[in-house]
Amino acid sequence: MQLETEATNLLAKAKRAVIEHDDITAEQVSYEALDAGVSPLEIIELGFIEGMKVLGDLFEHGDIDLQEIFAASLTMNIGIDVLRPHIMTSPDNTSAFGDLVLGI
């Protein structure tokens, strides 16, 4: 139960880091997730990408501009760079091709 709570908190922290363009937190949460045993793909899919979805919705409604999306994607990439070496050793079935990660 505590691991679930910790994972949930880390996912929320990753999402918030992307939304707020917080590069330091994006990197930090990636390391924390690895230390806690959270799947790298979970952090990417349920943390970083969820943050990008929030910003995408805001962009679609005209509440933010494209520059915000680009800044958030750079933040997300900082976090993913930490996770990338651990993706292939993850127990999840994944494949990585450069910057593209596929879950199988």
Side-chain angles (χ1 to χ4, degrees):
M1 183 67 150
Q2 184 176 352
L3 180 60
E4 286 181 29
T5 303
E6 185 174 2
T8 301
N9 290 339
L10 290 170
L11 294 171
K13 191 173 178 181
K15 180 179 175 179
R16 190 172 50 253
V18 169
I19 293 169
E20 297 174 357
H21 317 293
D22 186 343
D23 299 346
I24 294 169
T25 299
E27 182 178 26
Q28 179 185 28
V29 75
S30 293
Y31 284 117
E32 289 174 11
L34 292 171
D35 289 344
V38 178
S39 163
L41 287 180
E42 275 190 74
I43 292 296
I44 293 169
E45 293 173 357
L46 303 176
F48 296 136
I49 291 176
E50 287 300 315
M52 290 299 294
K53 287 179 182 178
V54 168
L55 294 176
D57 289 343
L58 290 171
F59 177 75
E60 188 175 305
H61 291 99
D63 296 329
I64 62 172
D65 59 28
L66 193 56
Q67 184 176 354
E68 293 279 327
I69 301 294
F70 287 131
S73 70
L74 293 174
T75 298
M76 182 176 70
N77 282 330
I78 288 170
I80 290 174
D81 284 345
V82 171
L83 300 171
R84 187 172 285 118
H86 303 276
I87 291 171
M88 295 310 290
T89 60
S90 171
D92 300 328
N93 292 324
T94 61
S95 297
F97 303 96
D99 289 337
L100 178 65
V101 178
L102 300 175
I104 300 172

